[in-house]
Amino acid sequence: MRLPQVRVTVNSRCKRSCFYCRPSGEAVATEAGTELDPDRLIAVAFAVRAQGVDGIKLTGGDPALYEPLVEVVRRLRQEAGMREVEVISRHPRIGELAPALAEAGTTLFNVSLDTLDAGLHKEICGVDDHAEVLTAIRRCVATGVPVKVNVVVMSGINTPEIEQLIAFCEDAGVHSVKLLDVIKDLGESSESFTRRLEIKRKVQLPDLYVPLEELAGELRARAVDEEVVQQGGLGHPMTVFTMPSGTKVVIKDSSAGAWYGAVCRGCPLFPCHDALMALRLTADARLQFCLLREDVTVDLAGLLDAGDTAGIHNHIEAAFEMYAAAAFRRDDTKPTELTGASL
């Protein structure tokens, strides 16, 4: 059975405004100040575990600003039986929490770093804390838990320093560096920070897109190993280069293709960037299938508050069935080629 990755947006704000992102982070529009109750999260974790998923990713907002984070990680490992718990953050506080999170059972830290230039960092995210982010990465590495660094590659902004960013990560002992293309259609959602980009750079978000294969040539020449992977049973195929240092460089480019399912049928935004990469639980307890549409979310709040375990499991099972029937589409595939029951 093809299984999606499961991502949980534990809160609705990260206190920064990266112009390739949006106020609610990974979630569809969610009211400011919303935080996911730990018991709700664990109840859903039990349901996805019953479907065969043994790993979960905590995102936001920003988990570093979520007070029950350490408790939740421990409960996901010890109560829900999750084998892997990844914590995804771009806030310096993740470094302060790293030792406790490692002890609680975190299996991967994922921290964002788009530049080595402090001034550019402030322009991108609106916050002047670049040195603190670098320190946080080193603190996470010091725990012994593997650390992944995400880099959003943006034309005319940080492309000249990608090699230096990789070198910094190698020197710091980072396990892997993930190079991501910008989500070109993010502006189609109900909220985004893309207006900051238009004001500061006089360009649109799609103008920042870089075909990441252009960056692969030198990496391929230096790498000691190369493979293609995808997260879970879905997601974009990603090229992974293992460098002589042991650090892995992952290239995630949407042009490699994505998976689409029944929820995508008739969607005016098809084909889109992320498609059915993951099943997400929002901070206000909705199941979210894609990044762009709120009309296809499933509200679990009532079932969770009523303690309706059977109802929760039924909704999760139905969601997983859609992912199991998903169809893959490359970026250069004609829309008419994607037909059948899955769309």
Side-chain angles (χ1 to χ4, degrees), residues 273-289:
H273 182 280
D274 265 344
L276 295 182
M277 179 189 75
L279 177 64
R280 292 177 175 85
L281 176 67
T282 67
D284 55 2
R286 286 177 289 166
L287 287 181
Q288 172 185 331
F289 298 104

Side-chain angles (χ1 to χ4, degrees), residues 244-278:
S245 63
T247 296
K248 296 181 181 296
V249 180
V250 183
I251 293 184
K252 178 180 178 288
D253 192 323
S254 59
S255 66
W259 294 84
Y260 297 86
V263 74
C264 308
R265 186 185 293 116
C267 178
L269 302 174
F270 172 83
C272 61
H273 182 280
D274 265 344
L276 295 182
M277 179 189 75

